[in-house]
Amino acid sequence: MSVKPLRVGIIGADTKASWAGASHVPALQSLPGLALAAVATRHEESARAAAQAFAAARWYADPYALIRDDTIDIVTVAVKVPAHRDLVLAALAAGKAVYCEAPLGVNVAEAEEMAAAAGSLHTAIGLQGRLNPAVRRAAELVGAGRLGAVLSATVRATTVAFGPTSLSAYDYFNKAASGASFLTITTAHVLDIVEAVLGNITEVDARTQCIWPEVLLADTGERSVRDIPDHVDLIAATARGACVGVQVLAGVERNPHFVLEVRGSAGWLRLTGDHLAGVQVGDLALSASVDFTMPDARVASGVGPTAADFWRGAAINVGEVYASLARDLSQGRHDTPGFAHALHNSRLIAAVERAARTGERQGQLG
């Protein structure tokens, strides 16, 4: 007896440089238990083009019409952060399972509202790095005590984004009001992987800088003011007792890297990655001084049909989120990090911001 695949509708699946087109579409194409059933944008022309390019059966120029479609099982919200709240709340009110890109809201208050509205519905948040197979295996090694007592950890992470130049279409990332910034995206993904391996962060000291307060918009020649940090150094304590030093650098075009090294009384492990966009994009590799079973095989790969080759690997971790959400829906479980987890991440980043602003250590992060 064949089982019908879960039908996904993506809001924000544009053919022009969209994250959904680069990651969500190829992830779904790799997973036999899910199918891209519909796409929605704000305009008929772009919605039609997306449906044709991504082989979706239906298209909508009104995202709320997609939400009202009774045939859709999972609504994916992959639009600019200020638009998340209304779309997510509408999808939850319609009883849908919802996968929303991170950050969930423009601030903690919005994240609290959406997390409360989710209730018992299935949700997933786009903090996909923690579900990478290598990260899961590293967490297992630490959790099983294979490294002994965890003594310390260090993280070095880079992204090509938030540097001295940008395109005008992406200038909103340089504005705090957008909710989509170096801290809420790049740093949030890095810290989420730290927590996946070492347990929740319980205290944090931080220093932020804005190295490039003026940004050249390369396509127009105009200059824009950046009102967010583009560099962070922090020290955190985690639930496993480890002290973690973290540095996240923006605007790195050469030798991109992510390195998380954990030292224990009985051994060490190291997670590494090298995608220009940051740790959440692309695969990670695990090495250790102790024997371990190789990480599980990736469930998704490839690049979207309209995406630049720069985004190769973006489907890997997004595919893990979809696979986890599909298991939860079929088994009646709630293992996939969802909106409650998104709220925790939002509160953590707010604590980093307070620590940097006040110069005082932040605890009781919630």
Side-chain angles (χ1 to χ4, degrees):
M1 180 179 175
S2 62
V3 178
K4 290 184 178 180
L6 293 166
R7 293 154 297 191
V8 181
I10 300 179
I11 300 173
D14 199 304
T15 60
K16 297 179 179 179
S18 73
W19 169 248
S23 61
H24 289 262
V25 170
L28 290 170
Q29 291 172 342
S30 298
L31 294 164
L34 296 107
L36 178 59
V39 294
T41 68
R42 292 287 185 181
H43 304 284
E44 180 176 334
E45 183 179 356
S46 60
R48 282 182 179 272
Q52 181 175 4
F54 303 145
R58 292 181 301 287
W59 58 267
Y60 295 97
D62 175 8
Y64 294 96
L66 183 150
I67 290 171
R68 292 191 297 268
D69 185 338
D70 291 336
T71 69
I72 298 299
D73 302 302
I74 301 170
V75 172
T76 293
V77 177
V79 296
K80 291 181 179 180
V81 178
H84 284 186
R85 175 188 175 274
D86 290 349
L87 293 168
V88 165
L89 291 177
L92 292 172
K96 306 291 189 181
V98 184
Y99 180 169
C100 184
E101 274 301 332
L104 181 58
V106 297
N107 51 40
V108 172
E110 283 197 358
E112 287 174 340
E113 182 181 13
M114 286 180 272
S120 61
L121 293 171
H122 286 88
T123 60
I125 187 63
L127 291 167
Q128 63 272 11
R130 69 165 40 232
L131 291 183
N132 180 274
V135 174
R136 299 201 309 263
R137 185 69 76 235
E140 290 173 1
L141 290 176
V142 173
R146 296 292 308 285
L147 304 186
V150 177
L151 304 177
S152 68
T154 58
V155 181
R156 302 188 309 278
T158 67
T159 179
V160 71
F162 304 104
T165 63
S166 178
L167 296 176
S168 58
Y170 300 137
D171 189 38
Y172 71 96
F173 286 115
N174 296 311
K175 313 300 181 184
S178 73
S181 70
F182 170 75
L183 288 179
T184 65
I185 297 176
T186 306
T187 305
H189 281 290
V190 170
L191 295 185
D192 195 54
I193 289 179
V194 170
E195 291 195 314
V197 176
L198 295 173
N200 285 353
I201 290 172
T202 57
E203 291 184 337
V204 64
D205 293 278
R207 178 181 178 182
T208 59
Q209 292 177 267
C210 184
I211 296 175
W212 294 289
E214 189 175 78
V215 182
L216 173 65
L217 304 180
D219 54 327
T220 67
E222 298 176 340
R223 293 190 176 274
S224 177
V225 174
R226 172 174 287 151
D227 63 11
I228 60 164
D230 50 29
H231 179 95
V232 66
D233 291 276
L234 64 86
I235 298 174
T238 72
R240 294 193 182 278
C243 183
V244 186
V246 180
Q247 182 181 76
V248 189
L249 299 172
V252 176
E253 298 181 4
R254 297 178 179 85
N255 189 31
H257 59 269
F258 170 84
V259 181
L260 165 59
E261 185 170 282
V262 180
R263 291 278 172 177
S265 59
W268 58 265
L269 68 75
R270 186 178 296 117
L271 283 166
T272 57
D274 61 1
H275 200 285
L276 272 167
V279 65
Q280 71 273 23
V281 185
D283 209 358
L284 294 171
L286 173 65
S287 57
S289 63
V290 298
D291 293 335
F292 62 91
T293 304
M294 291 297 294
D296 298 333
R298 303 176 303 192
V299 299
S301 61
V303 65
T306 64
D309 195 61
F310 170 87
W311 292 110
R312 186 167 299 279
I316 293 172
N317 299 329
V318 171
E320 298 293 336
V321 178
Y322 275 115
S324 179
L325 182 57
R327 285 193 299 271
D328 282 353
L329 287 165
S330 66
Q331 299 173 12
R333 301 172 62 89
H334 286 81
D335 294 332
T336 306
F339 290 178
H341 184 73
L343 174 57
H344 166 78
N345 186 261
S346 181
R347 287 171 172 164
L348 172 59
I349 295 304
V352 171
E353 292 173 327
R354 287 196 305 273
R357 184 176 63 252
T358 65
E360 297 177 354
R361 179 179 302 172
Q362 299 296 307
Q364 299 180 338
L365 305 185

